[in-house]
Amino acid sequence: MPQVPQRLDASAVRAWCGFALRALGRAREEIDAINVYPVADGDTGTNLYLTVESATAAVEAVFAGHAALAGGKEAPGGPEALDGREALDGHEAVTGQVVSPGRVPEGPALADAVHAMAHGALIGARGNSGTILAQLLRGMAQVLAADSDATHTDGQGLRLALRRAADSARQAVVHPVEGTVLTVASAAADAASGAEGDCGTVARAAYEGARAALAATPGQLAVLERAGVVDAGGRGLVAVLGALVETFTGEAPAAAAVPVLAGHARVGAGSDATGLHARVDAAVTEPLGELGEVGECADGTPAPEEGGPAFEVIYLLEAEDAAVARLRDRLDALGDSLVVVGGDGLWNVHVHVDDAGAAVEAGVEAGRPYRIRITHFGLDDAHTTGAGSRPVRERVERAVVAVVPGEGLAGLYAEAGATTVLARPGEPPASGELVEAVRRAHAREVVLLPNDAELRHTAAAAAEQARTEGVRVALIPTRSAVQGIAALAVHEPGRRFDEDVVAMTSAAGATRYAEVEVAERQSWTMAGICQAGDILGLIEGDVAVIGSDVTATAEAVLNRMLAAGGEMVTLVLGDEAPDTIAAHLESRVRESYLAVDTVVYRGGRQGALLLIGVE
């Protein structure tokens, strides 16, 4: 049992993130079930979970980096990292950044931890609720990371942080609506401001204030009252504040004490969320009845119309403040549910629109948008239909879910029938993203291909979560996308599940893999000392060749691999690979290795210059 922090420090931030992630994991399905505003798409709990998971991973990275500086000695405090995130291994040490030497303090600084938490939430924010939560955490970080750390480590510091969080989140929403997570955040800050005492006392006051505000949300927002539910985003914030109480008191608030349904029933951790989904669907899809027209919210803002915008657009944006101000005006004219959070040149933009292309173009005019996500609400969504119920889609018998490192491979895997999760360079997917992919596959049986040795724990956690939801999941520990290609090539949905898994595992295991990439800094390797800019050839994760030319290094790697035999060579080219490298390697194989075939794919922005597989 970790020691309860007595003050606000980095260990307290770490503990809070861990407890919040656990609390949202338990409440995720329940929160999804009551999600009716601003869109009844049943994903608020999942979006909040993914946002906090990203924040947690960022904080864990700070502690891992500090532990590496301290010679492997872990700093005290906080629960263990979730999903098995570990410190850098030898491969990452070659391609990662150099940490300046010097005296190592006992633990990371509070400023480092809260900045990491806020940044992780910002880049990982999902949906309307996740984006607002990211701004809440950013507001807290602005107070807790102030120059005079000592003045912000007590109850007074926590009161100030909660106030700044509520105010900054409200400012980030272009048209604030009462009866939402904004109302709950403001109530928490108000209650905390009247509490005198240590961090535990302030946290409990904020939690109780948030609970009372949550229970009142149906009286402030008509769509909640019709559905008989409290606000889903507010419910998630109550869970996060409950985790804050647990951090400073060692006791988690009783889950049953948190109101979930107002005026109808209460739903606890063991509730029938499927039945609740059906009741909510019926409530939000029925006609408005006697009103005959769209009503107003408590602040005079029009309530969301049924038949609203068809797309949710989210992207990260690198832009100056002045350009973001213009962007807000542009997007406000295009749609609704507009939330722009962030600062210091990096922003997270969320909006619901009918013209997704125009929303992205507006971002291009403002700066550099990336990690663009466009989601179509679908014809079966209450936001776009206004009547009827959601059709029940029959589950398929079996599906394959695979993590892929580039857009080109994502297309290849999708053509083969797999549901894909894109892993961008430096941005590995979290377990929640893998669970969501399993849900998208909508199958009774799923074969999961992580295609990365570093994702083994993340994939295992996702598989375990999916099993609790009634899906039979087999995890094949593929360590490279080329092993996944080999497994997918022998996949046969028509045979028994166990037989299919054995065949796919055997094909993946019989495929040796390698990659060619550029060293980012000087480092010791198994092949000697490399310098920044050297070309590295890694065979099954270990540096085997150091060169100065991409093609020559790739040829040396391929020769080593084929020296042990092989029947098929797979080459996956990254965007920055030389145009002539594929033809050169194909010619080399054809001339020197009889009866060995070569197949070439374009991987896109996959991080490595070249992936090589030999079966």
Side-chain angles (χ1 to χ4, degrees), residues 344-379:
D344 302 320
L346 179 63
W347 308 82
N348 190 305
V349 179
H350 171 280
V351 67
H352 295 170
V353 293
D354 279 323
D355 189 344
V360 175
E361 288 173 6
V364 173
E365 292 177 4
R368 186 179 79 87
Y370 61 103
R371 289 188 68 174
I372 300 168
R373 301 188 188 99
I374 300 175
T375 303
H376 187 263
F377 289 126
L379 296 178

PDB file of all heavy atoms in Angstrom, residues 344-379:
ATOM      1  N   ASP A 344       0.862  28.148 -25.463  1.00  0.00           N
ATOM      2  CA  ASP A 344       2.309  28.041 -25.693  1.00  0.00           C
ATOM      3  C   ASP A 344       2.623  27.393 -27.037  1.00  0.00           C
ATOM      4  O   ASP A 344       3.571  26.614 -27.177  1.00  0.00           O
ATOM      5  CB  ASP A 344       2.987  27.250 -24.568  1.00  0.00           C
ATOM      6  CG  ASP A 344       2.750  27.875 -23.205  1.00  0.00           C
ATOM      7  OD1 ASP A 344       2.786  29.111 -23.114  1.00  0.00           O
ATOM      8  OD2 ASP A 344       2.514  27.112 -22.237  1.00  0.00           O
ATOM      9  N   GLY A 345       1.771  27.697 -28.027  1.00  0.00           N
ATOM     10  CA  GLY A 345       2.034  27.215 -29.378  1.00  0.00           C
ATOM     11  C   GLY A 345       1.413  25.886 -29.741  1.00  0.00           C
ATOM     12  O   GLY A 345       1.438  25.493 -30.911  1.00  0.00           O
ATOM     13  N   LEU A 346       0.857  25.130 -28.769  1.00  0.00           N
ATOM     14  CA  LEU A 346       0.246  23.836 -29.066  1.00  0.00           C
ATOM     15  C   LEU A 346      -1.188  23.823 -28.546  1.00  0.00           C
ATOM     16  O   LEU A 346      -1.439  24.113 -27.374  1.00  0.00           O
ATOM     17  CB  LEU A 346       1.042  22.704 -28.413  1.00  0.00           C
ATOM     18  CG  LEU A 346       0.491  21.292 -28.639  1.00  0.00           C
ATOM     19  CD1 LEU A 346       0.523  20.943 -30.129  1.00  0.00           C
ATOM     20  CD2 LEU A 346       1.279  20.260 -27.840  1.00  0.00           C
ATOM     21  N   TRP A 347      -2.127  23.442 -29.424  1.00  0.00           N
ATOM     22  CA  TRP A 347      -3.541  23.502 -29.104  1.00  0.00           C
ATOM     23  C   TRP A 347      -4.225  22.202 -29.500  1.00  0.00           C
ATOM     24  O   TRP A 347      -3.776  21.493 -30.403  1.00  0.00           O
ATOM     25  CB  TRP A 347      -4.213  24.665 -29.853  1.00  0.00           C
ATOM     26  CG  TRP A 347      -3.526  25.967 -29.663  1.00  0.00           C
ATOM     27  CD1 TRP A 347      -2.412  26.411 -30.339  1.00  0.00           C
ATOM     28  CD2 TRP A 347      -3.852  26.987 -28.722  1.00  0.00           C
ATOM     29  NE1 TRP A 347      -2.041  27.644 -29.874  1.00  0.00           N
ATOM     30  CE2 TRP A 347      -2.914  28.036 -28.888  1.00  0.00           C
ATOM     31  CE3 TRP A 347      -4.868  27.131 -27.765  1.00  0.00           C
ATOM     32  CZ2 TRP A 347      -2.955  29.191 -28.127  1.00  0.00           C
ATOM     33  CZ3 TRP A 347      -4.898  28.295 -27.021  1.00  0.00           C
ATOM     34  CH2 TRP A 347      -3.961  29.308 -27.191  1.00  0.00           C
ATOM     35  N   ASN A 348      -5.317  21.905 -28.815  1.00  0.00           N
ATOM     36  CA  ASN A 348      -6.171  20.784 -29.198  1.00  0.00           C
ATOM     37  C   ASN A 348      -7.512  21.376 -29.600  1.00  0.00           C
ATOM     38  O   ASN A 348      -8.147  22.087 -28.820  1.00  0.00           O
ATOM     39  CB  ASN A 348      -6.346  19.805 -28.030  1.00  0.00           C
ATOM     40  CG  ASN A 348      -7.021  18.515 -28.463  1.00  0.00           C
ATOM     41  OD1 ASN A 348      -8.105  18.529 -29.029  1.00  0.00           O
ATOM     42  ND2 ASN A 348      -6.388  17.385 -28.175  1.00  0.00           N
ATOM     43  N   VAL A 349      -7.942  21.087 -30.823  1.00  0.00           N
ATOM     44  CA  VAL A 349      -9.153  21.682 -31.390  1.00  0.00           C
ATOM     45  C   VAL A 349     -10.217  20.609 -31.541  1.00  0.00           C
ATOM     46  O   VAL A 349      -9.952  19.525 -32.088  1.00  0.00           O
ATOM     47  CB  VAL A 349      -8.852  22.322 -32.762  1.00  0.00           C
ATOM     48  CG1 VAL A 349     -10.121  22.926 -33.366  1.00  0.00           C
ATOM     49  CG2 VAL A 349      -7.774  23.398 -32.617  1.00  0.00           C
ATOM     50  N   HIS A 350     -11.426  20.902 -31.048  1.00  0.00           N
ATOM     51  CA  HIS A 350     -12.556  19.973 -31.140  1.00  0.00           C
ATOM     52  C   HIS A 350     -13.776  20.737 -31.620  1.00  0.00           C
ATOM     53  O   HIS A 350     -14.103  21.804 -31.081  1.00  0.00           O
ATOM     54  CB  HIS A 350     -12.839  19.351 -29.769  1.00  0.00           C
ATOM     55  CG  HIS A 350     -14.119  18.555 -29.715  1.00  0.00           C
ATOM     56  ND1 HIS A 350     -15.361  19.158 -29.581  1.00  0.00           N
ATOM     57  CD2 HIS A 350     -14.349  17.224 -29.778  1.00  0.00           C
ATOM     58  CE1 HIS A 350     -16.304  18.224 -29.578  1.00  0.00           C
ATOM     59  NE2 HIS A 350     -15.709  17.056 -29.695  1.00  0.00           N
ATOM     60  N   VAL A 351     -14.478  20.212 -32.638  1.00  0.00           N
ATOM     61  CA  VAL A 351     -15.678  20.873 -33.146  1.00  0.00           C
ATOM     62  C   VAL A 351     -16.565  19.847 -33.848  1.00  0.00           C
ATOM     63  O   VAL A 351     -16.069  18.841 -34.373  1.00  0.00           O
ATOM     64  CB  VAL A 351     -15.305  22.021 -34.122  1.00  0.00           C
ATOM     65  CG1 VAL A 351     -14.673  21.487 -35.401  1.00  0.00           C
ATOM     66  CG2 VAL A 351     -16.509  22.912 -34.427  1.00  0.00           C
ATOM     67  N   HIS A 352     -17.885  20.079 -33.832  1.00  0.00           N
ATOM     68  CA  HIS A 352     -18.837  19.282 -34.591  1.00  0.00           C
ATOM     69  C   HIS A 352     -19.282  20.102 -35.796  1.00  0.00           C
ATOM     70  O   HIS A 352     -19.761  21.235 -35.633  1.00  0.00           O
ATOM     71  CB  HIS A 352     -20.057  18.924 -33.737  1.00  0.00           C
ATOM     72  CG  HIS A 352     -19.732  18.033 -32.585  1.00  0.00           C
ATOM     73  ND1 HIS A 352     -20.628  17.755 -31.576  1.00  0.00           N
ATOM     74  CD2 HIS A 352     -18.607  17.335 -32.274  1.00  0.00           C
ATOM     75  CE1 HIS A 352     -20.073  16.935 -30.704  1.00  0.00           C
ATOM     76  NE2 HIS A 352     -18.839  16.675 -31.100  1.00  0.00           N
ATOM     77  N   VAL A 353     -19.143  19.552 -36.988  1.00  0.00           N
ATOM     78  CA  VAL A 353     -19.443  20.299 -38.217  1.00  0.00           C
ATOM     79  C   VAL A 353     -20.083  19.376 -39.248  1.00  0.00           C
ATOM     80  O   VAL A 353     -20.014  18.147 -39.137  1.00  0.00           O
ATOM     81  CB  VAL A 353     -18.164  20.909 -38.840  1.00  0.00           C
ATOM     82  CG1 VAL A 353     -17.586  21.996 -37.965  1.00  0.00           C
ATOM     83  CG2 VAL A 353     -17.116  19.826 -39.100  1.00  0.00           C
ATOM     84  N   ASP A 354     -20.684  19.984 -40.265  1.00  0.00           N
ATOM     85  CA  ASP A 354     -21.147  19.223 -41.428  1.00  0.00           C
ATOM     86  C   ASP A 354     -20.070  19.144 -42.492  1.00  0.00           C
ATOM     87  O   ASP A 354     -20.013  18.190 -43.258  1.00  0.00           O
ATOM     88  CB  ASP A 354     -22.406  19.871 -42.015  1.00  0.00           C
ATOM     89  CG  ASP A 354     -23.667  19.484 -41.264  1.00  0.00           C
ATOM     90  OD1 ASP A 354     -23.747  18.320 -40.836  1.00  0.00           O
ATOM     91  OD2 ASP A 354     -24.549  20.339 -41.084  1.00  0.00           O
ATOM     92  N   ASP A 355     -19.196  20.160 -42.550  1.00  0.00           N
ATOM     93  CA  ASP A 355     -18.131  20.209 -43.552  1.00  0.00           C
ATOM     94  C   ASP A 355     -16.795  19.975 -42.850  1.00  0.00           C
ATOM     95  O   ASP A 355     -16.140  20.917 -42.391  1.00  0.00           O
ATOM     96  CB  ASP A 355     -18.142  21.565 -44.254  1.00  0.00           C
ATOM     97  CG  ASP A 355     -17.208  21.597 -45.468  1.00  0.00           C
ATOM     98  OD1 ASP A 355     -16.339  20.703 -45.578  1.00  0.00           O
ATOM     99  OD2 ASP A 355     -17.349  22.519 -46.298  1.00  0.00           O
ATOM    100  N   ALA A 356     -16.395  18.701 -42.750  1.00  0.00           N
ATOM    101  CA  ALA A 356     -15.155  18.367 -42.048  1.00  0.00           C
ATOM    102  C   ALA A 356     -13.941  18.950 -42.762  1.00  0.00           C
ATOM    103  O   ALA A 356     -12.989  19.394 -42.113  1.00  0.00           O
ATOM    104  CB  ALA A 356     -15.015  16.853 -41.938  1.00  0.00           C
ATOM    105  N   GLY A 357     -13.986  18.978 -44.090  1.00  0.00           N
ATOM    106  CA  GLY A 357     -12.867  19.524 -44.844  1.00  0.00           C
ATOM    107  C   GLY A 357     -12.628  20.990 -44.541  1.00  0.00           C
ATOM    108  O   GLY A 357     -11.488  21.439 -44.403  1.00  0.00           O
ATOM    109  N   ALA A 358     -13.706  21.749 -44.407  1.00  0.00           N
ATOM    110  CA  ALA A 358     -13.568  23.174 -44.100  1.00  0.00           C
ATOM    111  C   ALA A 358     -12.964  23.377 -42.718  1.00  0.00           C
ATOM    112  O   ALA A 358     -12.180  24.309 -42.498  1.00  0.00           O
ATOM    113  CB  ALA A 358     -14.931  23.857 -44.187  1.00  0.00           C
ATOM    114  N   ALA A 359     -13.306  22.501 -41.761  1.00  0.00           N
ATOM    115  CA  ALA A 359     -12.755  22.611 -40.413  1.00  0.00           C
ATOM    116  C   ALA A 359     -11.251  22.354 -40.420  1.00  0.00           C
ATOM    117  O   ALA A 359     -10.484  23.019 -39.706  1.00  0.00           O
ATOM    118  CB  ALA A 359     -13.454  21.641 -39.480  1.00  0.00           C
ATOM    119  N   VAL A 360     -10.818  21.399 -41.221  1.00  0.00           N
ATOM    120  CA  VAL A 360      -9.388  21.110 -41.318  1.00  0.00           C
ATOM    121  C   VAL A 360      -8.671  22.228 -42.062  1.00  0.00           C
ATOM    122  O   VAL A 360      -7.564  22.644 -41.682  1.00  0.00           O
ATOM    123  CB  VAL A 360      -9.162  19.759 -42.018  1.00  0.00           C
ATOM    124  CG1 VAL A 360      -7.667  19.499 -42.227  1.00  0.00           C
ATOM    125  CG2 VAL A 360      -9.766  18.626 -41.197  1.00  0.00           C
ATOM    126  N   GLU A 361      -9.284  22.732 -43.131  1.00  0.00           N
ATOM    127  CA  GLU A 361      -8.670  23.831 -43.890  1.00  0.00           C
ATOM    128  C   GLU A 361      -8.479  25.065 -43.008  1.00  0.00           C
ATOM    129  O   GLU A 361      -7.481  25.774 -43.124  1.00  0.00           O
ATOM    130  CB  GLU A 361      -9.540  24.184 -45.092  1.00  0.00           C
ATOM    131  CG  GLU A 361      -9.513  23.138 -46.197  1.00  0.00           C
ATOM    132  CD  GLU A 361     -10.516  23.434 -47.297  1.00  0.00           C
ATOM    133  OE1 GLU A 361     -11.138  24.514 -47.244  1.00  0.00           O
ATOM    134  OE2 GLU A 361     -10.677  22.592 -48.194  1.00  0.00           O
ATOM    135  N   ALA A 362      -9.429  25.309 -42.111  1.00  0.00           N
ATOM    136  CA  ALA A 362      -9.297  26.431 -41.191  1.00  0.00           C
ATOM    137  C   ALA A 362      -8.068  26.246 -40.306  1.00  0.00           C
ATOM    138  O   ALA A 362      -7.356  27.205 -39.990  1.00  0.00           O
ATOM    139  CB  ALA A 362     -10.554  26.566 -40.337  1.00  0.00           C
ATOM    140  N   GLY A 363      -7.822  24.995 -39.893  1.00  0.00           N
ATOM    141  CA  GLY A 363      -6.630  24.714 -39.107  1.00  0.00           C
ATOM    142  C   GLY A 363      -5.359  24.935 -39.900  1.00  0.00           C
ATOM    143  O   GLY A 363      -4.356  25.441 -39.364  1.00  0.00           O
ATOM    144  N   VAL A 364      -5.368  24.579 -41.182  1.00  0.00           N
ATOM    145  CA  VAL A 364      -4.200  24.781 -42.038  1.00  0.00           C
ATOM    146  C   VAL A 364      -3.896  26.269 -42.179  1.00  0.00           C
ATOM    147  O   VAL A 364      -2.733  26.693 -42.176  1.00  0.00           O
ATOM    148  CB  VAL A 364      -4.427  24.141 -43.417  1.00  0.00           C
ATOM    149  CG1 VAL A 364      -3.295  24.485 -44.371  1.00  0.00           C
ATOM    150  CG2 VAL A 364      -4.556  22.625 -43.280  1.00  0.00           C
ATOM    151  N   GLU A 365      -4.941  27.073 -42.276  1.00  0.00           N
ATOM    152  CA  GLU A 365      -4.746  28.516 -42.384  1.00  0.00           C
ATOM    153  C   GLU A 365      -4.171  29.099 -41.091  1.00  0.00           C
ATOM    154  O   GLU A 365      -3.432  30.082 -41.118  1.00  0.00           O
ATOM    155  CB  GLU A 365      -6.076  29.194 -42.704  1.00  0.00           C
ATOM    156  CG  GLU A 365      -6.604  28.873 -44.096  1.00  0.00           C
ATOM    157  CD  GLU A 365      -7.962  29.503 -44.343  1.00  0.00           C
ATOM    158  OE1 GLU A 365      -8.443  30.248 -43.466  1.00  0.00           O
ATOM    159  OE2 GLU A 365      -8.540  29.250 -45.417  1.00  0.00           O
ATOM    160  N   ALA A 366      -4.517  28.478 -39.954  1.00  0.00           N
ATOM    161  CA  ALA A 366      -4.058  28.993 -38.663  1.00  0.00           C
ATOM    162  C   ALA A 366      -2.648  28.549 -38.312  1.00  0.00           C
ATOM    163  O   ALA A 366      -1.929  29.240 -37.598  1.00  0.00           O
ATOM    164  CB  ALA A 366      -5.019  28.563 -37.556  1.00  0.00           C
ATOM    165  N   GLY A 367      -2.251  27.385 -38.769  1.00  0.00           N
ATOM    166  CA  GLY A 367      -0.941  26.862 -38.405  1.00  0.00           C
ATOM    167  C   GLY A 367      -0.716  25.491 -39.002  1.00  0.00           C
ATOM    168  O   GLY A 367      -1.042  25.243 -40.169  1.00  0.00           O
ATOM    169  N   ARG A 368      -0.194  24.554 -38.197  1.00  0.00           N
ATOM    170  CA  ARG A 368       0.071  23.193 -38.692  1.00  0.00           C
ATOM    171  C   ARG A 368      -0.770  22.193 -37.918  1.00  0.00           C
ATOM    172  O   ARG A 368      -0.431  21.829 -36.786  1.00  0.00           O
ATOM    173  CB  ARG A 368       1.548  22.833 -38.539  1.00  0.00           C
ATOM    174  CG  ARG A 368       1.912  21.486 -39.175  1.00  0.00           C
ATOM    175  CD  ARG A 368       3.382  21.183 -39.015  1.00  0.00           C
ATOM    176  NE  ARG A 368       3.720  20.682 -37.715  1.00  0.00           N
ATOM    177  CZ  ARG A 368       3.674  19.386 -37.359  1.00  0.00           C
ATOM    178  NH1 ARG A 368       3.258  18.476 -38.225  1.00  0.00           N
ATOM    179  NH2 ARG A 368       4.025  19.015 -36.147  1.00  0.00           N
ATOM    180  N   PRO A 369      -1.885  21.745 -38.495  1.00  0.00           N
ATOM    181  CA  PRO A 369      -2.685  20.710 -37.826  1.00  0.00           C
ATOM    182  C   PRO A 369      -2.104  19.325 -38.079  1.00  0.00           C
ATOM    183  O   PRO A 369      -1.576  19.046 -39.161  1.00  0.00           O
ATOM    184  CB  PRO A 369      -4.062  20.860 -38.477  1.00  0.00           C
ATOM    185  CG  PRO A 369      -3.779  21.391 -39.838  1.00  0.00           C
ATOM    186  CD  PRO A 369      -2.523  22.225 -39.724  1.00  0.00           C
ATOM    187  N   TYR A 370      -2.184  18.457 -37.089  1.00  0.00           N
ATOM    188  CA  TYR A 370      -1.752  17.076 -37.256  1.00  0.00           C
ATOM    189  C   TYR A 370      -2.528  16.196 -36.285  1.00  0.00           C
ATOM    190  O   TYR A 370      -3.306  16.688 -35.472  1.00  0.00           O
ATOM    191  CB  TYR A 370      -0.239  16.921 -37.068  1.00  0.00           C
ATOM    192  CG  TYR A 370       0.296  17.304 -35.714  1.00  0.00           C
ATOM    193  CD1 TYR A 370       0.641  16.343 -34.770  1.00  0.00           C
ATOM    194  CD2 TYR A 370       0.487  18.636 -35.373  1.00  0.00           C
ATOM    195  CE1 TYR A 370       1.143  16.679 -33.534  1.00  0.00           C
ATOM    196  CE2 TYR A 370       0.998  19.000 -34.135  1.00  0.00           C
ATOM    197  CZ  TYR A 370       1.317  18.016 -33.212  1.00  0.00           C
ATOM    198  OH  TYR A 370       1.811  18.357 -31.986  1.00  0.00           O
ATOM    199  N   ARG A 371      -2.327  14.889 -36.379  1.00  0.00           N
ATOM    200  CA  ARG A 371      -3.129  13.910 -35.628  1.00  0.00           C
ATOM    201  C   ARG A 371      -4.614  14.219 -35.800  1.00  0.00           C
ATOM    202  O   ARG A 371      -5.383  14.315 -34.852  1.00  0.00           O
ATOM    203  CB  ARG A 371      -2.742  13.897 -34.148  1.00  0.00           C
ATOM    204  CG  ARG A 371      -1.391  13.285 -33.875  1.00  0.00           C
ATOM    205  CD  ARG A 371      -1.121  13.105 -32.395  1.00  0.00           C
ATOM    206  NE  ARG A 371      -1.993  12.101 -31.808  1.00  0.00           N
ATOM    207  CZ  ARG A 371      -1.886  11.675 -30.547  1.00  0.00           C
ATOM    208  NH1 ARG A 371      -0.951  12.163 -29.770  1.00  0.00           N
ATOM    209  NH2 ARG A 371      -2.708  10.772 -30.086  1.00  0.00           N
ATOM    210  N   ILE A 372      -5.005  14.381 -37.038  1.00  0.00           N
ATOM    211  CA  ILE A 372      -6.386  14.755 -37.370  1.00  0.00           C
ATOM    212  C   ILE A 372      -7.284  13.531 -37.253  1.00  0.00           C
ATOM    213  O   ILE A 372      -6.993  12.476 -37.820  1.00  0.00           O
ATOM    214  CB  ILE A 372      -6.455  15.332 -38.790  1.00  0.00           C
ATOM    215  CG1 ILE A 372      -5.564  16.578 -38.894  1.00  0.00           C
ATOM    216  CG2 ILE A 372      -7.897  15.674 -39.169  1.00  0.00           C
ATOM    217  CD1 ILE A 372      -5.340  17.062 -40.315  1.00  0.00           C
ATOM    218  N   ARG A 373      -8.377  13.665 -36.491  1.00  0.00           N
ATOM    219  CA  ARG A 373      -9.363  12.594 -36.354  1.00  0.00           C
ATOM    220  C   ARG A 373     -10.716  13.124 -36.793  1.00  0.00           C
ATOM    221  O   ARG A 373     -11.200  14.122 -36.266  1.00  0.00           O
ATOM    222  CB  ARG A 373      -9.461  12.098 -34.910  1.00  0.00           C
ATOM    223  CG  ARG A 373      -8.175  11.549 -34.322  1.00  0.00           C
ATOM    224  CD  ARG A 373      -8.461  10.907 -32.969  1.00  0.00           C
ATOM    225  NE  ARG A 373      -7.246  10.528 -32.285  1.00  0.00           N
ATOM    226  CZ  ARG A 373      -6.683  11.271 -31.324  1.00  0.00           C
ATOM    227  NH1 ARG A 373      -7.259  12.375 -30.932  1.00  0.00           N
ATOM    228  NH2 ARG A 373      -5.567  10.881 -30.743  1.00  0.00           N
ATOM    229  N   ILE A 374     -11.329  12.461 -37.751  1.00  0.00           N
ATOM    230  CA  ILE A 374     -12.663  12.838 -38.224  1.00  0.00           C
ATOM    231  C   ILE A 374     -13.583  11.647 -38.014  1.00  0.00           C
ATOM    232  O   ILE A 374     -13.332  10.555 -38.529  1.00  0.00           O
ATOM    233  CB  ILE A 374     -12.645  13.245 -39.707  1.00  0.00           C
ATOM    234  CG1 ILE A 374     -11.719  14.448 -39.913  1.00  0.00           C
ATOM    235  CG2 ILE A 374     -14.057  13.571 -40.192  1.00  0.00           C
ATOM    236  CD1 ILE A 374     -11.541  14.850 -41.365  1.00  0.00           C
ATOM    237  N   THR A 375     -14.635  11.848 -37.234  1.00  0.00           N
ATOM    238  CA  THR A 375     -15.577  10.773 -36.914  1.00  0.00           C
ATOM    239  C   THR A 375     -16.953  11.133 -37.430  1.00  0.00           C
ATOM    240  O   THR A 375     -17.472  12.214 -37.140  1.00  0.00           O
ATOM    241  CB  THR A 375     -15.655  10.544 -35.391  1.00  0.00           C
ATOM    242  OG1 THR A 375     -14.349  10.261 -34.900  1.00  0.00           O
ATOM    243  CG2 THR A 375     -16.590   9.393 -35.067  1.00  0.00           C
ATOM    244  N   HIS A 376     -17.529  10.236 -38.211  1.00  0.00           N
ATOM    245  CA  HIS A 376     -18.903  10.437 -38.683  1.00  0.00           C
ATOM    246  C   HIS A 376     -19.847   9.858 -37.646  1.00  0.00           C
ATOM    247  O   HIS A 376     -19.715   8.704 -37.242  1.00  0.00           O
ATOM    248  CB  HIS A 376     -19.110   9.750 -40.032  1.00  0.00           C
ATOM    249  CG  HIS A 376     -20.444  10.041 -40.664  1.00  0.00           C
ATOM    250  ND1 HIS A 376     -21.510   9.195 -40.560  1.00  0.00           N
ATOM    251  CD2 HIS A 376     -20.870  11.112 -41.372  1.00  0.00           C
ATOM    252  CE1 HIS A 376     -22.545   9.718 -41.192  1.00  0.00           C
ATOM    253  NE2 HIS A 376     -22.179  10.887 -41.689  1.00  0.00           N
ATOM    254  N   PHE A 377     -20.809  10.679 -37.186  1.00  0.00           N
ATOM    255  CA  PHE A 377     -21.707  10.220 -36.140  1.00  0.00           C
ATOM    256  C   PHE A 377     -22.592   9.073 -36.610  1.00  0.00           C
ATOM    257  O   PHE A 377     -23.045   8.265 -35.827  1.00  0.00           O
ATOM    258  CB  PHE A 377     -22.575  11.372 -35.632  1.00  0.00           C
ATOM    259  CG  PHE A 377     -21.793  12.369 -34.834  1.00  0.00           C
ATOM    260  CD1 PHE A 377     -21.815  13.709 -35.158  1.00  0.00           C
ATOM    261  CD2 PHE A 377     -21.017  11.965 -33.772  1.00  0.00           C
ATOM    262  CE1 PHE A 377     -21.081  14.631 -34.427  1.00  0.00           C
ATOM    263  CE2 PHE A 377     -20.278  12.877 -33.028  1.00  0.00           C
ATOM    264  CZ  PHE A 377     -20.318  14.212 -33.366  1.00  0.00           C
ATOM    265  N   GLY A 378     -22.850   8.986 -37.912  1.00  0.00           N
ATOM    266  CA  GLY A 378     -23.578   7.834 -38.450  1.00  0.00           C
ATOM    267  C   GLY A 378     -25.075   8.034 -38.461  1.00  0.00           C
ATOM    268  O   GLY A 378     -25.647   8.771 -37.675  1.00  0.00           O
ATOM    269  N   LEU A 379     -25.715   7.341 -39.376  1.00  0.00           N
ATOM    270  CA  LEU A 379     -27.155   7.477 -39.527  1.00  0.00           C
ATOM    271  C   LEU A 379     -27.924   6.890 -38.370  1.00  0.00           C
ATOM    272  O   LEU A 379     -29.103   7.180 -38.188  1.00  0.00           O
ATOM    273  CB  LEU A 379     -27.595   6.800 -40.839  1.00  0.00           C
ATOM    274  CG  LEU A 379     -27.027   7.430 -42.110  1.00  0.00           C
ATOM    275  CD1 LEU A 379     -27.489   6.633 -43.325  1.00  0.00           C
ATOM    276  CD2 LEU A 379     -27.447   8.896 -42.232  1.00  0.00           C
TER     277      LEU A 379
END
